[in-house]
Each structure stands twice: as C-alpha cells, then as structure tokens.
Amino acid sequence: EKKFLINKEQYDNLIPILLKYMDYDEYCKDGRNYSIYNLYYDTENDDVIRHSIYKPYYKEKLRLRSYRTPKSVDESVFLELKKKINGIVNKRRVVMTLGEAYDFLESGKRPQTEDYINNQVLNEIEYYLKNNPVYPKVYIGYSRKALFGKEDRDFRVSFDSKIMARRDDLSLESGSYGDGLLEDNIYLMEVKILGAMPLWFANILSELEIYNTHFSKYGDEYVKYTLERQNSDLRRREKIC
C-alpha cells in the first residue's frame, strides 16, 4: 500500500490516463464518486493509534464502515479489522446490521451466521475485543473514486477527498460532518498492489511529479487533535498567568 497527496491539476491529468489501463470499481456508478463513513475504535488512552503512528512491524485497527448514512439499525454495515504486517495490509471484514454491530461491540453479543468465513472473521474480532478495551473514538467520512486494473484486478488505485473527522456525536447515523483533514483541491491517492508496481504507472507518476508520502486518516487526525489540545491548554495557562 502506497500513499500520495496530489493536487487538482495532477488529479485531472491522471484520471484520463488511468482509464486506458483501468476500470472504475462497482461502487463508482458512471464514474461518480461514492461515500465512505467510518467509526474508529480505540482505548481511553488512544493506545491503538499511538502505537500505529510509530510504524511498528505489526499493527491493527478496528472500524465500523458504511457506504451510506444508515437510516435505521436494520441497515447493513461492515465491521473491519485492518492489519498491517511489515507494510503489507490485510483487511478482515464481516457484514451485519448496524444494530448487530452495536450489540457486538458494546455488549459482546455475537451475531449469528452460518457462513464459515464470517465466523472466522468474527472469531478474530472477538479475540481483539477481549484483549483491547475499545470504544468509538473518531468518526471519519470521505468521498472516494476507485479503479481496478483491467489485466490485474489486484492492482487498485483510489482517490479520497473531502475527508471530514469529528470526536463527538460518534454514530454512523449522524452523517458526515466535522473538521477537514486536507486542504481544498487536495486528494489522497492510495495504491494497493500485490507485487511490483506496473511500469506504465511508475512512468506516469514520474511524468506528473507525484511522489510517495506518509498519510493516515486516523493517524493524522490524532496528531492534529493532540496539537490543538496542547495549544488550547497553553493558551489557558497563559490566560491564568
């Protein structure tokens, strides 16, 4: 998984070239963006994200994801355990209703399923919950455009924009609002591939002067939140003095 921050000009130049080699994914109806809404779970002391930002050999995050704002607890959502081992990302997820997800995460009531794979994922998440006292800490929503390689379906490029985050009103039902994590007309491009990057894609990045960077939605939100809290404490102490 590689990440890049690009501007509007680079984005506009890149998309037509990518479409020669790639197709939009199933959620991009007629090439339109789709929305992703997430609740990230962490401990009271933010142990999960604090561990993650130090780029350890192994890390994992639990999040609840939806592709639209749920109108009721009967709508389907995805509970995901995202793992990264030495830079290699593996995502385990299971589908359930929003009500089932809240019951599982808040009281440990496990959803019933006959599907073998779903049960295996639930086992992993159940184990994670037993060893990590987590609860909702951050909401992050954004708009995404995603493409897959025509010849290699494992080659995926996505563009995220309008990334919004908040630390209150932590429910998927409340919709996407909060503080922006990126400047206007800046896109987070994520590249996922098994093996080597295609030569044609590497050449395009070079021509458009697009360079690899480090960006984590939850990680950068946490750093921003921490700095704002420190500055607020400093101003309060100065006012007292």
Side-chain angles (χ1 to χ4, degrees), residues 22 39 45 76 81 84 88-89 102 115-116 121 141 155 163 168-169 178 181 184 188 194 197 217 221 223 225 236 240:
M22 310 184 77
L39 279 180
N45 295 320
S76 295
L81 189 60
K84 181 176 281 191
I88 305 300
V89 176
Y102 285 154
D115 184 271
Y116 175 79
V121 176
F155 178 50
I163 305 175
D168 55 6
D169 193 13
L181 293 185
D184 292 341
L188 171 63
L194 293 174
M197 185 180 293
K217 297 182 187 75
E221 186 282 335
V223 171
Y225 165 75
R236 186 168 59 252
I240 293 174

Side-chain angles (χ1 to χ4, degrees), residues 27-235:
Y27 294 105
C28 286
K29 305 300 183 183
D30 299 320
R32 294 192 299 269
N33 285 25
Y34 59 92
S35 298
I36 299 178
Y37 310 116
N38 305 281
L39 279 180
Y40 283 86
Y41 285 72
D42 209 328
T43 67
E44 182 178 358
N45 295 320
D46 301 302
D47 295 305
V48 173
I49 194 59
R50 288 168 60 191
H51 175 73
S52 177
I53 61 179
Y54 284 105
K55 299 179 177 59
Y57 179 81
Y58 176 80
K59 59 183 179 180
E60 54 189 353
K61 299 174 189 173
L62 182 68
R63 66 190 179 197
L64 185 61
R65 168 170 288 190
S66 176
Y67 292 95
R68 61 181 179 181
T69 300
K71 301 300 182 183
S72 77
V73 293
D74 296 322
E75 294 195 28
S76 295
V77 295
F78 298 90
L79 186 57
E80 302 181 345
L81 189 60
K82 183 178 180 181
K83 307 178 182 183
K84 181 176 281 191
I85 306 173
N86 196 26
I88 305 300
V89 176
N90 178 272
K91 185 167 65 177
R92 306 281 281 165
R93 76 177 187 174
V94 60
V95 64
M96 61 186 70
T97 68
L98 180 61
E100 289 175 329
Y102 285 154
D103 286 343
F104 185 37
L105 292 165
E106 294 170 9
S107 63
K109 182 181 178 182
R110 177 169 170 152
Q112 297 301 309
T113 176
E114 299 299 324
D115 184 271
Y116 175 79
I117 298 298
N118 283 345
N119 271 312
Q120 287 298 105
V121 176
L122 285 171
N123 287 340
E124 292 183 32
I125 295 176
E126 196 169 45
Y127 179 82
Y128 177 87
L129 291 172
K130 286 180 179 179
N131 290 277
N132 298 275
V134 297
Y135 61 96
K137 291 300 292 281
V138 178
Y139 174 99
I140 300 180
Y142 44 92
S143 176
R144 168 167 289 183
K145 187 185 295 293
L147 305 94
F148 292 85
K150 293 180 178 180
E151 297 183 359
D152 181 2
R153 301 298 289 180
D154 290 325
F155 178 50
R156 184 169 186 264
V157 179
S158 62
F159 300 88
D160 295 339
S161 58
K162 301 177 182 178
I163 305 175
M164 309 294 291
R166 64 177 186 267
R167 284 182 170 259
D168 55 6
D169 193 13
L170 295 176
S171 70
L172 291 178
E173 304 97 299
S174 296
S176 187
Y177 71 90
D179 298 323
L181 293 185
L182 293 178
E183 297 178 5
D184 292 341
N185 295 320
I186 296 296
Y187 299 79
L188 171 63
M189 181 174 72
E190 297 186 358
V191 178
K192 299 179 178 67
I193 188 170
L194 293 174
M197 185 180 293
L199 182 59
W200 64 263
F201 185 72
N203 289 336
I204 291 172
L205 297 184
S206 178
E207 292 172 7
L208 296 179
E209 299 182 338
I210 296 174
Y211 306 109
N212 181 223
T213 189
H214 295 287
F215 186 91
S216 163
K217 297 182 187 75
Y218 185 16
D220 281 59
E221 186 282 335
Y222 175 73
V223 171
K224 180 181 178 182
Y225 165 75
T226 302
L227 290 175
E228 290 176 349
R229 188 173 59 179
Q230 291 175 345
N231 290 335
S232 177
D233 291 342
L234 180 60
R235 289 193 296 269

